[in-house]
Each structure stands twice: as C-alpha cells, then as structure tokens.
C-alpha cells in the first residue's frame, strides 16, 4: 500500500539526464490531492504509478515535462484506475508532447503494459501532452478492458509555430 501525500521530485536541469519515479504496490496506490510527483527537465522524465492487483487513485499533480525537448512519459496503471478531484497530468514539452497511459496502452494491445478492468477520469481532471513552440502533440490513452468512464479534458496539441496534433 502506498499513500503519497507530499512531494516527490526527480527533476533534472541537465539535458539527457531525465528523472524516473516508480511508485508500485501489490495492492493500492493513492496520490492524495495535495501530492506533487514530478520528473521534469530539459527532456521529460518518466513517472510510473502502479498497483498490481488493486486500485491506483490519483487526485494530485503528476508531471514529466520537457522545457527544451519533448515531454516524457506518465503511466497510471492498476486493476482499477481513477483520476479524481482536480488531478493534473502533464507531459507537455517545448518540441513535442509526451505520452500518458491511464489504465493501459492503445486498444489494450501492448503486452508490456498492464490493462485495467475499469478506468475513471473525473470531470475536473486535466491531461496535457502538448507541444509548446514546435513539434507534434503527444499521446494520451485512457483504457480499460471492461468499463471506461471519461468526463475530464485531454489535449495533445501541436506546437504554436509548427507541428501536428497528437493522439487522444
């Protein structure tokens, strides 16, 4: 059981040295509304929050942004996955959006990524995988094998100066 109520940072100021955070439990993982979990840097890092057989519940902020390159990767995985309250997930980057996987990967077909049985994204939740100045938007996947309920907002916009939109 993991209950994260504080701040966990693996940020980097050095290009090419992206941070990694892995919060993994056999049963439940909760990121409280006040929690901040970041792996930001010139290139976005990687954050994985996973419960093998329980519930992954995110109410706080999770980021893997890239200030000089593309955004990183955030994976929120478990048997049941919920993003609630004012949860924010951001993998935006200056030259391209990153990847957000909530409950699984595209169509549940990636055997390396755990698929949720049920996934819920609340109405006040924001997921961003945008390119800042240039480059393509990133990828946002919300998946479950059985029941997916999405009421929030997700974006994967191309850069303001150039770039195509991504995939939501």
């Amino acid at each position: 059981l993991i209950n994260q109520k504080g701040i966990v940072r693996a940020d980097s100021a050095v290009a090419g040295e992206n941070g990694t955070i892995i919060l993994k439990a056999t049963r439940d993982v909760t990121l409280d509304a006040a929690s901040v979990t970041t792996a930001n840097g010139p290139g976005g890092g990687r954050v994985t929050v996973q419960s093998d057989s329980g519930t992954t519940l995110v109410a706080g902020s999770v980021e893997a942004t890239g200030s000089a390159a593309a955004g990183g990767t955030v994976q929120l995985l478990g048997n049941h996955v919920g993003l609630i309250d004012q949860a924010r997930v951001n993998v935006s980057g200056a030259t391209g959006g990153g990847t957000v996987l909530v409950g699984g990967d595209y169509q549940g077909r990636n055997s390396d990524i755990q698929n949720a049985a049920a996934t819920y994204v609340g109405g006040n939740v924001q997921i961003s995988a945008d390119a800042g100045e240039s480059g393509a938007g990133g990828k946002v996947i919300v998946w479950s094998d059985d029941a997916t309920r999405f009421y929030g907002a997700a974006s994967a916009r191309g850069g303001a100066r150039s770039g195509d939109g991504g995939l939501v």
Side-chain angles (χ1 to χ4, degrees):
L1 175 70
I2 297 173
N3 190 0
Q4 206 276 81
K5 294 184 177 189
I7 298 172
V8 176
R9 293 192 189 278
D11 298 336
S12 175
V14 179
E17 294 184 15
N18 303 324
T20 299
I21 297 171
I22 300 172
L23 300 173
K24 186 173 183 180
T26 302
R27 291 184 34 204
D28 300 333
V29 179
T30 301
L31 303 185
D32 188 79
S35 70
V36 176
T37 307
T38 65
N40 298 324
R46 175 182 280 291
V47 177
T48 300
V49 180
Q50 183 173 12
S51 60
D52 286 337
S53 63
T55 299
T56 296
L57 192 62
V58 177
S61 174
V62 182
E63 298 179 357
T65 62
S67 60
T73 300
V74 170
Q75 298 179 352
L76 306 172
L77 307 171
N79 189 42
H80 295 95
V81 179
L83 278 64
I84 61 170
D85 298 337
Q86 304 289 325
R88 298 288 181 261
V89 180
N90 188 356
V91 295
S92 298
T95 63
T99 299
V100 177
L101 304 180
V102 179
D105 203 346
Y106 185 69
Q107 298 180 339
R109 294 184 180 174
N110 184 342
S111 62
D112 293 332
I113 302 294
Q114 178 184 5
N115 288 341
T119 302
Y120 174 84
V121 176
N124 293 320
V125 173
Q126 175 65 51
I127 303 172
S128 304
D130 301 328
E133 291 299 314
S134 63
K139 175 171 89 169
V140 176
I141 303 294
V142 178
W143 176 263
S144 77
D145 288 340
D146 188 29
T148 301
R149 302 291 184 260
F150 185 90
Y151 303 100
S155 63
R157 297 181 186 108
R161 293 187 182 170
S162 65
D164 295 329
L167 172 70
V168 176

